[in-house]
Amino acid sequence: MTDPESPTSEQVAALDGAVAELFDGATVKGWVAVQTEHFRNLLFAQQLGCWILFTWNDGTIEIEEDYPPYALVLDLLTDTFTDEDRGDLTVKWADAERRDDLWQRYGIHESPGHYMGLAGNPRKRS
């Protein structure tokens, strides 16, 4: 059964390679990049999941995995994201003109494990 509040697979697939800026008022607090990939769940059914990389303006990073029913993706698609440390942030998705530049800087260029290691390390991302 599909939750009517959940994004569709098509909506999630459209986020592959997307980057958004996260604002607190007029101040950019961070960036979020999304990479999608197909995987098989415990019942061996094919599903679309995604990795979501948060890069904060203080240099820290976090990477999260999201899959049906897409809790994080749903928040990001509502244009308001609540971070427990940073509060409510406005999500502004980059248009095609800025997307490539932002992806170069804040996109997912390594395996998710790489970013997990960086997130667990107190040193900031270079």
Side-chain angles (χ1 to χ4, degrees):
M1 181 181 294
T2 304
D3 180 348
E5 295 293 317
S6 294
T8 65
S9 292
E10 291 79 19
Q11 288 173 302
V12 175
L15 291 175
D16 190 39
V19 181
E21 294 175 297
L22 303 171
F23 286 87
D24 181 6
T27 305
V28 177
K29 292 292 185 174
W31 301 263
V32 61
V34 180
Q35 181 180 40
T36 64
E37 62 182 42
H38 287 89
F39 70 97
R40 295 204 181 270
N41 67 14
L42 293 174
L43 302 173
F44 300 106
Q46 180 116 329
Q47 291 186 313
L48 184 62
C50 55
W51 290 102
I52 302 170
L53 179 66
F54 294 90
T55 304
W56 300 104
N57 63 356
D58 66 1
T60 60
I61 63 163
E62 300 168 24
I63 192 160
E64 300 288 342
E65 182 179 20
D66 203 10
Y67 44 84
Y70 304 113
L72 284 172
V73 170
L74 181 61
D75 287 347
L76 292 168
L77 289 175
T78 62
D79 297 330
T80 301
F81 176 74
T82 302
D83 180 80
E84 63 185 47
D85 297 326
R86 294 166 181 88
D88 291 337
L89 303 169
T90 302
V91 179
K92 297 203 183 219
W93 293 98
D95 59 20
E97 199 172 290
R98 296 191 62 225
R99 188 175 182 165
D100 288 342
D101 288 338
L102 289 174
W103 185 265
Q104 277 299 104
R105 185 160 182 163
Y106 305 109
I108 300 171
H109 303 288
E110 305 289 340
S111 71
H114 171 82
Y115 297 103
M116 288 177 192
L118 289 177
N121 189 333
R123 294 182 318 183
K124 293 180 181 175
R125 179 180 182 191
S126 53

